[in-house]
Amino acid sequence: MATFRNIVVLTGAGISAESGLKTFRAEDGLWEDHPVEEVATPEGFARDPDLVQRFYDERRAQVLAAQPNAAHEALGRLDREFGGELLIVTQNFDDLHTRGGAERVLHMHGEALSAWCTACDARHPWRGTLRDGPPCPSCGAAAMRPDIVWFGEMPYQMDRIFASLSAADLFVSIGTSGAVYPAAGFVQAASDTGSRTLELNLERSAGSHRFDETRLGPASELVPEWVDAVLGE
Ligand code: APR
């Protein structure tokens, strides 16, 4: 395996599946029995804020009850021991990368354990519920929403992500269906600027044909193997 100096990793719901957190598209686009449009769009929130708040209150509780799996812990080891540049871009809103020991993590779709005040724009670490309209610690308004990027909203730190992709010499996609842009376009941006591209996924994805190499299997097996090979260099 070549020696890499600058790695960008993209993760999706599949890396947290073995921690017991559901993926999005296992059951034809339903998510915990809700159409995604109902609970993951600003329109859905405007239509029924209580439903959406309760939905994310349940996701937040599930995240807190989940544990990092061997894949998260392997990426934590990579973060600690790899001497080059590393950025882990995750589409997931759980905190399992951080609890698995990774520090260079970017949550492009927001975080379940963060609340966003729509009155003063402040963001706060949040482990409780939002359904009862708690006051914003900064401004006191009862106007906090889940700090999750919904469909139709702009993912976070896109400039930083594309700058990292163009500088990378290896792009690794883990546990994502390649169904949702802009993340689904990262492999093309990486390969256009000379990166090798590797996909680790349970099954072939919508983007598999764009990768130099695809390995199929559970993340808890494929990711530790891959990290051992990278660090073994
Ligand atoms: N190991 C590796 N991959 C797995 C595992 C596993 N144990 N279990 C499932 N997968 C794979 C599936 O084969 C699938 O390709 O993970 C992928 C999960 O795909 P999705 O459910 O579409 O999740 P994701 O790709 O993260 O969705 C992207 O869509 O709904 C939006 O904002 C939401 O961030 C999400 C985005």
Side-chain angles (χ1 to χ4, degrees):
M1 176 184 251
T3 301
F4 300 106
R5 300 306 308 152
N6 188 320
I7 301 175
V8 173
V9 177
L10 171 69
T11 65
I15 200 171
S16 298
E18 291 165 270
S19 295
L21 296 179
K22 271 194 177 167
T23 63
F24 291 84
R25 288 172 186 83
E27 312 84 28
D28 57 41
L30 280 190
W31 192 19
E32 303 279 351
D33 307 328
H34 290 282
V36 169
E37 303 70 41
E38 203 175 74
V39 292
T41 61
E43 296 76 16
F45 184 57
R47 190 165 46 246
D48 190 344
D50 185 57
L51 168 76
V52 174
Q53 294 285 26
R54 280 186 289 110
F55 180 83
Y56 286 97
D57 285 352
E58 285 159 33
R59 303 289 73 70
R60 196 170 300 114
Q62 286 182 3
V63 164
L64 291 170
Q67 295 303 322
N69 64 54
H72 298 108
E73 288 166 352
L75 292 181
R77 185 155 55 85
L78 180 71
D79 195 332
R80 285 191 302 277
E81 299 177 18
F82 177 61
E85 291 293 310
L86 172 69
L87 180 63
I88 299 167
V89 180
T90 186
Q91 300 172 88
N92 302 338
F93 53 59
D94 62 57
D95 66 336
L96 298 179
H97 281 303
T98 303
R99 281 199 273 148
E103 294 181 356
R104 293 177 271 186
V105 181
L106 191 164
H107 284 267
M108 67 178 286
H109 287 168
E111 297 179 70
L113 304 186
S114 172
W116 176 16
C117 179
T118 58
C120 72
D121 206 32
R123 285 169 170 79
H124 303 283
W126 205 263
R127 302 169 74 85
T129 59
L130 291 173
R131 73 181 72 177
D132 305 321
C136 166
S138 298
C139 74
M144 292 199 289
R145 59 163 270 190
D147 185 13
I148 301 280
V149 177
W150 286 328
F151 285 99
E153 297 181 327
M154 179 59 73
Y156 293 151
Q157 302 191 56
M158 292 304 295
D159 292 345
R160 179 181 169 204
I161 293 170
F162 279 106
S164 296
L165 290 170
S166 62
D169 50 21
L170 175 63
F171 173 73
V172 185
S173 176
I174 304 170
T176 182
S177 61
V180 172
Y181 285 81
F186 290 175
V187 56
Q188 197 58 53
S191 57
D192 286 351
T193 47
S195 295
R196 267 191 67 74
T197 57
L198 169 65
E199 180 183 42
L200 308 178
N201 210 54
L202 192 64
E203 58 203 356
R204 285 187 67 78
S205 71
S208 289
H209 62 288
R210 293 206 176 101
F211 286 86
D212 295 320
E213 182 187 357
T214 290
R215 296 176 194 166
L216 300 182
S220 63
E221 291 173 20
L222 294 183
V223 180
E225 280 169 14
W226 169 68
V227 168
D228 287 346
V230 170
L231 295 178
E233 299 307 322

